[in-house]
Amino acid sequence: MKALLPFHINKVGAGFPSPATDYVEDDIDLNAHLIKNIPSTFLIRVQGKSMNSVGIHNDDLLVVDRSLNPKNFSTVIVNINEELVVKTFIKEKNQSFLTSESKEIKDKINLRANPEVLIWGVVTYVIHAL
Amino acid sequence: MLYNKNKIALVDCNSFYVSCERLFNPSIIQKPVIVLSSNDGCVISRSTEAKALGIKMGEPYFKIKKIVKENDVKTFSTNFALYGDLSRRVMKTLRQFSPQMEIYSIDEAFLDLSSIRNEDLLEHGYKIRKTILKWTGIPTSIGIATTKTLSKAANWIAKKEKSGVINLINSNHIDEFLSKIKINDVWGVGRQLTKFYIKNGINTAYDLKNKHNGWIKKNTSVFGSRTAMELKGISCVSLEPHQQKRKNCCVSRSFGRKVTKLEELNEAITTHCLNAAEKIRLDNQTVKKITVFIKTSPFQKDNYYYSNSKDIDLPIRTNDSIELVKQALIALKDIYKKNLRYQKTGIIFSGLKETDIYNKNLFSTINHEEKRIKLMQAIDHTNIKYGRNALSIAQAGLKKKWNAKRHFSSKVDTACFNFLPTVRVS
C-alpha cells in the first residue's frame, strides 16, 4: 500500500542550477495524508449503489479507521445481521442511532436497544475513480 | 541473572487465524470455526465453539468431517496473506505500549513493562487488550509476571478467564495457578521431558517449581533447569528485541496431488527458489549452499518410500535467482527417479551471510554481474509493486497444477489491492 506521486527536480547540470532546489520536498505520500493511524486503518471496497447521493459509489474505496469513535453524522461500517454494511451515525439527546442514506430504507436503529449491532470502524475518506 | 526486577507481559492472540477470518466475515462470529493447514490436512486453529465440540488441535480433517457436517462447523483453508497483515498490525499497535518488545511468533509477543508501577500493571494489561481489540479486531490474552516462563503460565490461565488478563507479580495466588497447569503445558517442557517428570512425580508447574535445584541440575539439561528457575521467579531467558538474521532459508510444500513428471518438479523447485531468493535479497544476504529434497508419501501402500536430497556448494556466493534456480535444477535431476509419485519437494539455502553485493563495482563499467543485480532489483521492485509473481521465470510454470489445495480459502487480503474486503451500502 504505497502511493507516491513523483515530484521531479532538475538534475544538477553544468548550467544555471535550478532555483527550486532550496524548496525540494519529498514525494507526496498519500498514505501519510489519508492514513493517520496505520495499524488500525483498512481499505475496504464498496458494493452497491444506494449511497450514490452522498458520494459513495459502487467499487469505491473506503479508508476506514477502527481506532476512532464516531461523531454525529459520521459514516461508519457496522456489523449488522451477520454482515458488514455502511451506515450513518447520528446522535440525538444522549442516544445514538444508525440510519441509511438509501432512499428505500427508512429504518433508524437505536444502538442502545440493539446491543448486537456493533460499530466496526469510522470511514475517513472515500476514494472514487472518475 | 536478574532477580525479580523484570515485569514481562506475554500477549497472545486468541484463536488467531479464526479471529482473522471473523474480522471481515461477521456471519461466523459465535459459531464453530476451524482453519486447516496446507492441503486442507489438519486443524491448526479452532474457535472456542469448535473446541467445545471436541475438535482437537492438529487433528486430521478427514477424521472430523462428520462432526463438521453435523454441527455446520465453518471451515477455512489458510490465508497467510491476511494473517500476516493482521499480525503486523497487532505488533505495531503493541509497540506503543513498550519500548522493548520481542515478537515471538505470528500471534505472540513479549513486552517489557518494567516502567509500569506494580499497582498499575493489571489496568495496563486491560488497556493493551482493549486497544488491540478496537484497532485490529483481534482478541488477546495477557499474562504478566517476572519471567518469560511465568508470563507464559499466566497467559495460559488468562486464556481461560473472561477478563483475559492475569498478573502474577506480587500475587498471592501464584502457587494456586501453577498447580492448575499440567507439566506438559509448561513453556519449554517437551514430550520427552514430560515423560521423565511424570515418572518422577512432577505433574504440574507447581511440582516443578518446588523441586530441589540440585535434583533438577543433576537430572535435566541446562534448558530443564532454566525452566525450573524461571518458574521460581528467577529470570534466565531474557527478552530479545532484535530479531536475529536467518542463517538458512527453507521453502517446501506438499503437492495438491501426487506429482510424477520431472517437468512439474522443476516448476515447483523453481517456484520455491524464486520465493526464497526474494526473501534473502530483502535482507541483503547471499547463499553458500543449496539443498534440494524430494520425497514420496510414507503412508502410500504398494509404493516404496523414496526420500533423497542433494547439496550443491556454490563456488561464489550469490542471491541471483537465475543462478540459484540453475543449480537447484541440476541437483534435482540428480536425485529424481522416474515413475514415483512424489508428495513433497523443497529447497534449503544455507550459509546465509549479509553481503555488500549491491555496493561492489560502484565505479566500474556495467559488467555481467552488475546487470544481473540490476535485473534482480527490477524483478523485486516490480513484484513488490504489482504483487507476487508479477514477474517470474517461465520455468516456474504458469498454471502450477501441483499447487497445494486450498478449497476453503477466504481470499481476502487487507494488504493487496485486488483482494480487499468488501462492504455493502444500505
Side-chain angles (χ1 to χ4, degrees), chain B residues 178-327:
Chain B
L178 291 185
S179 58
K180 281 185 197 160
I181 301 174
K182 286 201 200 104
I183 192 69
N184 57 307
D185 288 322
V186 175
W187 191 46
V189 177
R191 209 179 295 170
Q192 291 305 318
L193 207 50
T194 297
K195 272 189 207 159
F196 174 75
Y197 280 150
I198 289 177
K199 219 196 301 175
N200 287 280
I202 301 171
N203 294 304
T204 66
Y206 175 75
D207 295 342
L208 184 58
K209 183 195 162 188
N210 284 334
K211 199 74 190 175
H212 194 267
N213 279 347
W215 184 89
I216 291 164
K217 264 191 190 150
K218 208 175 120 198
N219 289 290
T220 71
S221 67
V222 183
F223 299 103
S225 2
R226 252 191 224 173
T227 304
M229 296 294 266
E230 286 240 327
L231 284 176
K232 290 174 208 278
I234 298 159
S235 175
C236 304
V237 190
S238 54
L239 214 67
E240 282 167 28
H242 303 291
Q243 259 167 340
Q244 303 258 318
K245 285 238 164 153
R246 58 168 82 85
K247 295 206 173 64
N248 48 55
C249 179
C250 172
V251 177
S252 70
R253 296 280 185 280
S254 296
F255 295 120
R257 54 163 168 79
K258 299 288 181 290
V259 163
T260 317
K261 284 190 211 150
L262 180 61
E263 293 82 64
E264 285 195 302
L265 287 172
N266 278 340
E267 281 185 22
I269 286 293
T270 304
T271 306
H272 298 340
C273 270
L274 293 179
N275 194 342
E278 187 187 304
K279 281 188 203 171
I280 64 161
R281 280 199 299 270
L282 272 177
D283 284 344
N284 274 338
Q285 290 178 314
T286 50
V287 184
K288 185 73 188 93
K289 191 172 89 180
I290 308 176
T291 307
V292 173
F293 61 90
I294 48 176
K295 56 194 257 186
T296 62
S297 165
F299 302 112
Q300 224 167 191
K301 289 167 201 159
D302 58 69
N303 249 330
Y304 98 105
Y305 175 58
Y306 176 68
S307 168
N308 203 351
S309 72
K310 167 130 188 135
D311 299 338
I312 289 196
D313 259 308
L314 299 173
I316 305 165
R317 302 185 145 272
T318 185
N319 57 19
D320 175 348
S321 292
I322 297 169
E323 188 57 31
L324 289 166
V325 166
K326 205 164 95 190
Q327 298 294 341

Side-chain angles (χ1 to χ4, degrees), chain A residues 41 45 47 66 83 100, chain B residues 31 89 134 421 423-424 426:
Chain A
T41 303
R45 207 173 283 282
Q47 273 179 353
R66 286 181 55 96
E83 207 183 358
S100 175
Chain B
K31 288 187 186 142
R89 289 164 184 270
K134 176 144 168 89
V423 280
R424 205 170 54 77
S426 75

Side-chain angles (χ1 to χ4, degrees), chain B residues 39-72:
Chain B
N39 276 317
D40 300 336
C42 301
V43 178
I44 51 170
S45 184
R46 308 161 295 159
S47 71
T48 321
E49 298 80 4
K51 286 175 196 169
L53 291 172
I55 296 173
K56 298 269 173 320
M57 196 68 175
E59 209 159 9
Y61 179 55
F62 70 86
K63 275 195 184 166
I64 53 158
K65 260 189 177 160
K66 197 166 167 249
I67 309 179
V68 167
K69 215 175 163 196
E70 282 168 2
N71 299 280
D72 191 24

